């Protein structure tokens, strides 16, 4: 059985290497492609902050939003602006057993505020893998997986 981590093991800055969805049948999907950007910070005082996005989608996102606004299509503009192609949240964190919980205090998504975001963790050298529990996606479930590398 692997050794459990303490909060001190998480402290530092982590750079995003991979963001993927693992489907029930084992298929791995990269919803933002394979070129992603982001940082996850854990403080010794028990606070965390995470920001992540696709690396190259900003130009196409701006173009979709601009086109929708020029066409005065509020519905299309809402969809273009509301796509989950940027995730940002912050709050306290706690570590227990094989999980770390992010206690969301502020988020780009208002429905995350006040909600605990539980993640299963695994350390391998300077790499940290965080996984959600199963998330309902249509008729099936997926697990979101984020792989981070410690910044020296």
């Amino acid at each position: 059985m692997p050794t459990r981590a303490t909060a001190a093991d998480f402290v530092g800055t982590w750079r995003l290497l991979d963001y993927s969805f693992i489907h029930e049948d084992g298929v791995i999907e990269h919803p933002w492609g394979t070129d992603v950007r982001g940082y996850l910070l854990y403080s010794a005082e028990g606070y965390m902050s995470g920001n992540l996005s696709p690396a190259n989608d900003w130009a196409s996102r701006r173009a979709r939003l601009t086109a929708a606004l020029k066409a005065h299509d509020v519905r299309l503009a809402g969809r273009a602006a509301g796509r989950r192609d940027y995730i940002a949240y912050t709050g306290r964190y706690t570590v227990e057993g094989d999980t770390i919980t992010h206690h969301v205090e502020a988020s780009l998504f208002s429905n995350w505020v006040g909600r605990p975001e539980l993640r299963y963790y695994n350390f391998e050298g300077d790499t940290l893998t965080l996984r959600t529990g199963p998330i309902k996606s249509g008729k099936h479930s997926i697990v979101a997986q984020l792989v981070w590398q410690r910044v020296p």
Side-chain angles (χ1 to χ4, degrees):
M1 187 158 130
T3 304
R4 299 294 180 220
T6 67
D9 295 312
F10 290 87
V11 172
T13 302
W14 301 84
R15 182 176 54 85
L16 184 63
L17 298 178
D18 182 67
Y19 173 56
S20 57
F21 295 157
I22 303 169
H23 294 262
E24 289 175 329
D25 61 4
V27 170
I28 297 175
E29 174 189 357
H30 292 91
W32 291 345
T34 56
D35 193 11
V36 292
R37 298 285 186 269
Y39 286 93
L40 179 61
L41 292 85
Y42 291 106
S43 77
E45 295 79 22
Y47 287 90
M48 61 74 56
S49 180
N51 288 269
L52 51 147
S53 72
N56 299 313
D57 192 43
W58 292 108
S60 63
R61 181 176 186 223
R62 274 194 306 272
R64 287 190 306 273
L65 184 56
T66 300
L69 292 172
K70 282 183 181 177
H72 301 291
D73 188 335
V74 176
R75 190 186 74 241
L76 185 59
R79 279 200 311 258
R83 282 187 54 213
R84 282 201 173 178
D85 56 3
Y86 193 90
I87 297 172
Y89 68 97
T90 189
R92 295 194 60 79
Y93 71 94
T94 54
V95 178
E96 186 175 328
D98 62 349
T99 64
I100 183 166
T101 303
H102 300 154
H103 304 277
V104 181
E105 296 176 24
S107 174
L108 183 62
F109 308 116
S110 59
N111 63 321
W112 284 24
V113 175
R115 186 174 92 184
E117 287 292 325
L118 182 104
R119 303 290 183 262
Y120 296 90
Y121 68 82
N122 183 53
F123 286 98
E124 197 169 309
D126 67 348
T127 302
L128 167 64
T129 301
L130 298 178
R131 285 186 173 187
T132 66
I135 301 167
K136 204 69 166 141
S137 178
K139 294 181 181 180
H140 305 284
S141 293
I142 62 167
V143 169
Q145 175 177 278
L146 296 100
V147 180
W148 305 89
Q149 183 176 41
R150 187 182 294 277
V151 175

